[in-house]
Coordinates of all heavy atoms in Angstrom, one line a residue:
M1 N -11.9 -23.4 13.4 CA -12.1 -24.7 14.0 C -10.7 -25.2 14.4 O -9.8 -25.3 13.6 CB -12.9 -25.6 13.1 CG -13.3 -26.9 13.7 SD -14.5 -27.8 12.8 CE -16.0 -27.3 13.6
N2 N -10.6 -25.7 15.6 CA -9.3 -26.2 16.1 C -9.4 -27.7 16.2 O -10.4 -28.4 16.0 CB -8.9 -25.6 17.4 CG -9.8 -25.8 18.5 OD1 -10.4 -26.9 18.6 ND2 -9.9 -24.9 19.4
K3 N -8.2 -28.3 16.5 CA -8.1 -29.7 16.6 C -9.0 -30.4 17.6 O -9.6 -31.4 17.3 CB -6.6 -30.0 17.0 CG -6.3 -31.5 17.1 CD -4.8 -31.7 17.4 CE -4.6 -32.7 18.5 NZ -3.3 -32.8 19.0
D4 N -9.2 -29.7 18.7 CA -10.1 -30.3 19.8 C -11.6 -30.3 19.3 O -12.3 -31.3 19.5 CB -10.1 -29.5 21.1 CG -8.8 -29.7 21.8 OD1 -8.4 -30.9 21.9 OD2 -8.2 -28.8 22.3
Q5 N -12.0 -29.3 18.5 CA -13.3 -29.3 18.0 C -13.6 -30.4 17.0 O -14.6 -31.1 17.0 CB -13.6 -28.0 17.4 CG -13.8 -26.8 18.4 CD -13.8 -25.5 17.8 OE1 -13.1 -25.2 16.8 NE2 -14.8 -24.7 18.2
V6 N -12.6 -30.6 16.1 CA -12.7 -31.6 15.0 C -12.7 -33.0 15.7 O -13.6 -33.8 15.4 CB -11.6 -31.5 14.0 CG1 -11.5 -32.7 13.1 CG2 -11.7 -30.2 13.3
Q7 N -11.7 -33.3 16.5 CA -11.6 -34.6 17.2 C -12.9 -34.9 18.0 O -13.4 -36.0 18.1 CB -10.3 -34.7 18.0 CG -10.0 -36.1 18.4 CD -8.7 -36.2 19.1 OE1 -8.0 -35.2 19.3 NE2 -8.3 -37.4 19.4
G8 N -13.3 -33.9 18.7 CA -14.5 -34.0 19.6 C -15.7 -34.4 18.8 O -16.5 -35.2 19.2
R9 N -15.9 -33.7 17.7 CA -17.1 -34.0 16.8 C -17.0 -35.4 16.3 O -18.0 -36.1 16.1 CB -17.2 -33.0 15.7 CG -17.5 -31.6 16.2 CD -18.3 -30.8 15.2 NE -18.3 -29.3 15.5 CZ -18.8 -28.7 16.6 NH1 -19.4 -29.4 17.5 NH2 -18.8 -27.4 16.7
F10 N -15.8 -35.8 15.9 CA -15.6 -37.2 15.4 C -15.9 -38.2 16.5 O -16.6 -39.2 16.2 CB -14.1 -37.3 14.9 CG -13.8 -38.7 14.3 CD1 -14.4 -39.1 13.1 CD2 -12.9 -39.6 14.9 CE1 -14.1 -40.3 12.6 CE2 -12.6 -40.8 14.4 CZ -13.3 -41.2 13.2
E11 N -15.4 -38.0 17.7 CA -15.7 -38.9 18.8 C -17.2 -38.9 19.1 O -17.8 -40.0 19.4 CB -14.9 -38.5 20.0 CG -13.5 -38.9 20.0 CD -13.2 -40.3 19.7 OE1 -13.8 -41.2 20.4 OE2 -12.3 -40.6 18.9
E12 N -17.8 -37.7 19.1 CA -19.3 -37.6 19.3 C -20.1 -38.4 18.3 O -21.0 -39.2 18.7 CB -19.7 -36.2 19.3 CG -21.0 -35.8 19.7 CD -21.3 -34.3 19.7 OE1 -20.4 -33.5 19.5 OE2 -22.5 -34.0 19.9
T13 N -19.7 -38.4 17.1 CA -20.4 -39.1 16.0 C -20.2 -40.6 16.2 O -21.1 -41.4 16.0 CB -19.9 -38.6 14.6 OG1 -20.1 -37.2 14.5 CG2 -20.6 -39.4 13.5
K14 N -18.9 -41.0 16.4 CA -18.7 -42.4 16.6 C -19.5 -43.0 17.8 O -20.1 -44.1 17.8 CB -17.2 -42.7 16.9 CG -16.3 -42.6 15.7 CD -14.9 -43.0 15.9 CE -14.3 -43.0 17.3 NZ -12.9 -43.3 17.3
G15 N -19.6 -42.2 18.9 CA -20.3 -42.6 20.1 C -21.8 -42.7 19.8 O -22.5 -43.7 20.2
K16 N -22.3 -41.8 19.0 CA -23.8 -41.8 18.6 C -24.1 -43.1 17.8 O -25.1 -43.8 18.0 CB -24.2 -40.6 17.9 CG -25.6 -40.5 17.5 CD -26.5 -40.4 18.7 CE -28.0 -40.3 18.4 NZ -28.8 -40.4 19.5
V17 N -23.2 -43.4 16.8 CA -23.4 -44.6 16.0 C -23.3 -45.8 16.9 O -24.2 -46.7 16.7 CB -22.3 -44.7 14.9 CG1 -22.3 -46.0 14.2 CG2 -22.5 -43.6 13.9
K18 N -22.4 -45.9 17.8 CA -22.3 -47.0 18.7 C -23.5 -47.2 19.6 O -24.0 -48.3 19.8 CB -21.0 -46.9 19.5 CG -20.6 -48.2 20.2 CD -19.3 -48.0 21.0 CE -18.1 -47.8 20.2 NZ -16.8 -47.7 21.0
E19 N -24.0 -46.0 20.1 CA -25.2 -46.0 20.9 C -26.4 -46.5 20.2 O -27.1 -47.4 20.7 CB -25.4 -44.6 21.4 CG -26.6 -44.5 22.4 CD -26.8 -43.0 22.8 OE1 -26.4 -42.1 22.1 OE2 -27.5 -42.8 23.8
V20 N -26.6 -46.1 19.0 CA -27.7 -46.5 18.2 C -27.6 -48.0 17.8 O -28.6 -48.8 17.9 CB -27.9 -45.7 16.9 CG1 -28.9 -46.2 15.9 CG2 -28.3 -44.2 17.3
A21 N -26.4 -48.4 17.5 CA -26.2 -49.8 17.2 C -26.5 -50.7 18.4 O -27.1 -51.8 18.3 CB -24.7 -50.1 16.7
G22 N -26.1 -50.2 19.6 CA -26.4 -51.0 20.8 C -27.9 -51.1 21.0 O -28.4 -52.1 21.4
K23 N -28.7 -50.0 20.7 CA -30.1 -50.1 20.8 C -30.7 -51.0 19.8 O -31.6 -51.8 20.2 CB -30.7 -48.7 20.6 CG -30.5 -47.7 21.8 CD -31.1 -46.4 21.5 CE -30.8 -45.4 22.6 NZ -31.4 -44.1 22.4
I24 N -30.3 -51.0 18.6 CA -30.8 -51.9 17.6 C -30.5 -53.3 17.9 O -31.4 -54.2 17.7 CB -30.2 -51.5 16.2 CG1 -30.8 -50.1 15.7 CG2 -30.5 -52.6 15.1 CD1 -30.1 -49.5 14.5
L25 N -29.3 -53.6 18.4 CA -28.9 -55.0 18.6 C -29.3 -55.4 20.1 O -29.0 -56.5 20.4 CB -27.3 -55.1 18.5 CG -26.8 -54.8 17.1 CD1 -25.3 -54.8 17.1 CD2 -27.3 -55.8 16.1
D26 N -29.9 -54.5 20.8 CA -30.3 -54.8 22.2 C -29.1 -55.2 23.0 O -29.1 -56.1 23.8 CB -31.4 -55.9 22.2 CG -32.1 -55.9 23.6 OD1 -32.2 -54.8 24.2 OD2 -32.6 -57.0 24.0
N27 N -28.0 -54.4 22.8 CA -26.8 -54.6 23.5 C -26.5 -53.4 24.5 O -26.0 -52.4 24.0 CB -25.6 -54.8 22.5 CG -24.3 -55.1 23.2 OD1 -24.1 -54.8 24.4 ND2 -23.4 -55.7 22.4
K28 N -26.9 -53.6 25.7 CA -26.9 -52.5 26.7 C -25.4 -52.0 26.9 O -25.2 -50.8 27.0 CB -27.5 -52.9 28.0 CG -28.9 -52.8 28.1 CD -29.4 -51.4 28.0 CE -30.9 -51.3 28.2 NZ -31.4 -50.0 27.8
E29 N -24.5 -52.9 26.9 CA -23.1 -52.5 27.1 C -22.6 -51.6 26.0 O -22.0 -50.5 26.2 CB -22.2 -53.7 27.2 CG -20.7 -53.4 27.5 CD -19.8 -54.6 27.6 OE1 -20.4 -55.7 27.7 OE2 -18.6 -54.4 27.7
M30 N -22.9 -52.0 24.8 CA -22.5 -51.2 23.6 C -23.2 -49.8 23.6 O -22.6 -48.8 23.3 CB -22.8 -51.9 22.3 CG -22.4 -51.1 21.1 SD -22.9 -51.9 19.5 CE -21.8 -53.3 19.4
E31 N -24.5 -49.8 24.0 CA -25.2 -48.6 24.1 C -24.7 -47.6 25.1 O -24.5 -46.4 24.8 CB -26.7 -48.9 24.4 CG -27.6 -47.8 24.4 CD -29.1 -48.2 24.8 OE1 -29.4 -49.4 24.7 OE2 -29.8 -47.3 25.1
I32 N -24.3 -48.2 26.3 CA -23.7 -47.3 27.3 C -22.3 -46.8 26.9 O -22.1 -45.6 27.1 CB -23.6 -48.1 28.6 CG1 -25.1 -48.4 29.2 CG2 -22.8 -47.4 29.7 CD1 -25.1 -49.4 30.3
K33 N -21.5 -47.7 26.3 CA -20.2 -47.2 25.9 C -20.3 -46.1 24.8 O -19.5 -45.2 24.8 CB -19.4 -48.4 25.3 CG -18.8 -49.3 26.4 CD -18.0 -50.4 25.8 CE -17.5 -51.3 26.9 NZ -16.6 -52.4 26.3
G34 N -21.3 -46.3 23.9 CA -21.5 -45.3 22.9 C -22.0 -43.9 23.5 O -21.5 -42.9 23.1
N35 N -22.8 -44.0 24.5 CA -23.3 -42.8 25.2 C -22.1 -42.1 25.9 O -22.0 -40.9 25.8 CB -24.4 -43.2 26.2 CG -25.1 -42.0 26.7 OD1 -24.8 -40.9 26.3 ND2 -26.0 -42.2 27.7
V36 N -21.3 -42.9 26.5 CA -20.1 -42.3 27.2 C -19.2 -41.6 26.2 O -18.8 -40.5 26.4 CB -19.4 -43.3 28.1 CG1 -18.0 -42.8 28.5 CG2 -20.2 -43.8 29.2
Q37 N -18.9 -42.3 25.1 CA -18.0 -41.8 24.1 C -18.6 -40.5 23.5 O -17.9 -39.6 23.2 CB -17.8 -42.9 23.0 CG -16.8 -42.5 21.9 CD -16.5 -43.6 21.0 OE1 -17.3 -44.6 20.9 NE2 -15.5 -43.5 20.2
K38 N -19.9 -40.5 23.2 CA -20.6 -39.3 22.7 C -20.4 -38.2 23.6 O -20.1 -37.0 23.2 CB -22.1 -39.7 22.5 CG -22.9 -38.5 21.9 CD -24.4 -38.9 21.8 CE -25.0 -39.0 23.1 NZ -26.5 -39.2 23.1
N39 N -20.6 -38.4 24.9 CA -20.5 -37.3 25.9 C -19.1 -36.8 26.1 O -18.8 -35.6 26.3 CB -21.1 -37.7 27.2 CG -22.6 -37.8 27.1 OD1 -23.3 -37.0 26.5 ND2 -23.2 -38.8 27.8
I40 N -18.1 -37.7 25.9 CA -16.7 -37.3 26.0 C -16.4 -36.4 24.8 O -15.7 -35.4 24.9 CB -15.8 -38.5 26.0 CG1 -15.9 -39.2 27.4 CG2 -14.3 -38.1 25.7 CD1 -15.2 -40.5 27.5
G41 N -16.9 -36.8 23.6 CA -16.8 -36.0 22.4 C -17.4 -34.6 22.6 O -16.8 -33.6 22.2
K42 N -18.6 -34.5 23.2 CA -19.2 -33.2 23.4 C -18.3 -32.4 24.4 O -18.2 -31.2 24.1 CB -20.6 -33.4 24.1 CG -21.7 -33.8 23.1 CD -23.0 -34.0 23.8 CE -24.1 -34.4 22.8 NZ -25.4 -34.5 23.5
A43 N -17.8 -33.0 25.4 CA -16.9 -32.2 26.3 C -15.7 -31.7 25.6 O -15.2 -30.6 25.8 CB -16.5 -33.1 27.5
Q44 N -15.1 -32.5 24.7 CA -13.9 -32.1 24.0 C -14.3 -31.0 23.0 O -13.5 -30.0 22.9 CB -13.3 -33.3 23.2 CG -12.0 -33.0 22.6 CD -11.3 -34.3 22.0 OE1 -11.9 -35.3 21.9 NE2 -10.1 -34.1 21.7
V45 N -15.4 -31.0 22.4 CA -15.9 -29.9 21.6 C -16.0 -28.6 22.4 O -15.6 -27.5 22.0 CB -17.2 -30.2 20.9 CG1 -17.8 -29.0 20.2 CG2 -17.0 -31.3 19.9
G46 N -16.5 -28.8 23.6 CA -16.6 -27.6 24.5 C -15.3 -27.0 24.9 O -15.1 -25.8 24.9
V47 N -14.3 -27.9 25.1 CA -12.9 -27.4 25.4 C -12.4 -26.6 24.1 O -11.8 -25.6 24.3 CB -12.0 -28.6 25.7 CG1 -10.5 -28.2 25.7 CG2 -12.4 -29.2 27.1
G48 N -12.6 -27.2 23.0 CA -12.2 -26.5 21.8 C -12.9 -25.2 21.6 O -12.2 -24.2 21.1
D49 N -14.2 -25.1 21.9 CA -14.9 -23.9 21.8 C -14.3 -22.8 22.7 O -14.1 -21.7 22.3 CB -16.4 -24.1 22.1 CG -17.1 -24.9 21.1 OD1 -16.6 -25.1 19.9 OD2 -18.2 -25.4 21.4
V50 N -14.0 -23.2 23.9 CA -13.4 -22.3 24.9 C -12.0 -21.8 24.4 O -11.7 -20.6 24.4 CB -13.2 -22.9 26.3 CG1 -12.4 -22.1 27.2 CG2 -14.6 -23.2 26.9
K51 N -11.2 -22.7 23.8 CA -9.9 -22.3 23.3 C -10.1 -21.3 22.1 O -9.4 -20.3 22.0 CB -9.2 -23.5 22.7 CG -8.6 -24.4 23.8 CD -7.8 -25.5 23.2 CE -7.2 -26.4 24.3 NZ -6.4 -27.5 23.7
E52 N -11.1 -21.5 21.3 CA -11.4 -20.6 20.2 C -11.8 -19.2 20.7 O -11.4 -18.2 20.2 CB -12.4 -21.2 19.2 CG -12.0 -22.2 18.3 CD -10.9 -21.7 17.3 OE1 -11.2 -20.7 16.6 OE2 -9.9 -22.4 17.1
D53 N -12.7 -19.2 21.7 CA -13.1 -18.0 22.3 C -12.0 -17.2 22.9 O -11.9 -16.0 22.8 CB -14.2 -18.3 23.4 CG -15.5 -18.8 22.9 OD1 -15.7 -18.6 21.6 OD2 -16.3 -19.3 23.7
I54 N -11.0 -17.9 23.6 CA -9.9 -17.2 24.1 C -9.0 -16.6 23.0 O -8.5 -15.5 23.1 CB -9.1 -18.2 25.0 CG1 -9.9 -18.5 26.3 CG2 -7.7 -17.6 25.4 CD1 -9.3 -19.7 27.1
K55 N -8.8 -17.4 22.0 CA -8.0 -16.9 20.8 C -8.6 -15.7 20.2 O -7.9 -14.7 19.9 CB -7.9 -18.1 19.8 CG -6.9 -17.7 18.7 CD -6.4 -18.9 17.8 CE -7.5 -19.8 17.4 NZ -7.0 -20.8 16.3
E56 N -10.0 -15.7 20.1 CA -10.7 -14.6 19.5 C -10.6 -13.3 20.4 O -10.4 -12.2 20.0 CB -12.1 -14.9 19.2 CG -12.3 -15.9 18.1 CD -11.8 -15.3 16.7 OE1 -12.1 -14.1 16.5 OE2 -11.2 -16.1 16.0
A57 N -10.7 -13.6 21.7 CA -10.6 -12.5 22.7 C -9.2 -11.8 22.7 O -9.1 -10.6 22.8 CB -10.9 -13.0 24.1
K58 N -8.2 -12.7 22.5 CA -6.8 -12.1 22.4 C -6.6 -11.2 21.2 O -5.9 -10.3 21.2 CB -5.8 -13.2 22.4 CG -5.6 -13.9 23.8 CD -4.5 -15.0 23.7 CE -4.3 -15.6 25.1 NZ -3.3 -16.7 25.0
K59 N -7.3 -11.6 20.1 CA -7.2 -10.8 18.8 C -7.8 -9.5 19.0 O -7.3 -8.5 18.4 CB -7.9 -11.6 17.7 CG -7.1 -12.8 17.2 CD -7.9 -13.4 16.0 CE -7.2 -14.7 15.5 NZ -8.0 -15.3 14.4
T60 N -8.9 -9.4 19.8 CA -9.6 -8.1 19.9 C -8.9 -7.2 20.9 O -9.2 -6.0 21.0 CB -11.0 -8.3 20.3 OG1 -11.1 -9.0 21.5 CG2 -11.8 -9.1 19.2
C61 N -8.0 -7.7 21.7 CA -7.4 -6.9 22.7 C -6.2 -6.1 22.2 O -5.6 -6.2 21.3 CB -6.8 -7.7 23.9 SG -8.2 -8.4 24.9

């Protein structure tokens, strides 16, 4: 697991919490910001996954 994967999962979790809190508090702005943060975290995890795949591919060559 690399830095991008860890940080991405952390951002994804924070975004999900913020999104749920926005729903509970009926705060659309907070809900939207949480959703955006969650999706940014997912993208960062994806970048980290690609980096790991590249690193693994280099090991097998």
Side-chain angles (χ1 to χ4, degrees):
M1 187 168 259
N2 63 33
K3 182 177 134 184
D4 286 316
Q5 290 171 316
V6 172
Q7 190 173 5
R9 294 210 197 293
F10 183 66
E11 288 300 316
E12 190 176 349
T13 302
K14 286 188 337 187
K16 183 65 178 172
V17 169
K18 196 180 287 186
E19 182 181 21
V20 170
K23 286 180 183 178
I24 291 170
L25 299 172
D26 198 28
N27 183 336
K28 281 289 186 194
E29 184 180 348
M30 181 186 289
E31 186 179 342
I32 291 169
K33 285 182 180 181
N35 190 3
V36 169
Q37 186 174 15
K38 179 180 72 174
N39 289 321
I40 289 171
K42 283 182 181 182
Q44 190 170 10
V45 170
V47 168
D49 290 345
V50 170
K51 285 182 178 179
E52 283 293 311
D53 290 345
I54 291 169
K55 187 167 43 170
E56 289 298 318
K58 285 182 179 180
K59 287 181 182 178
T60 60
C61 290

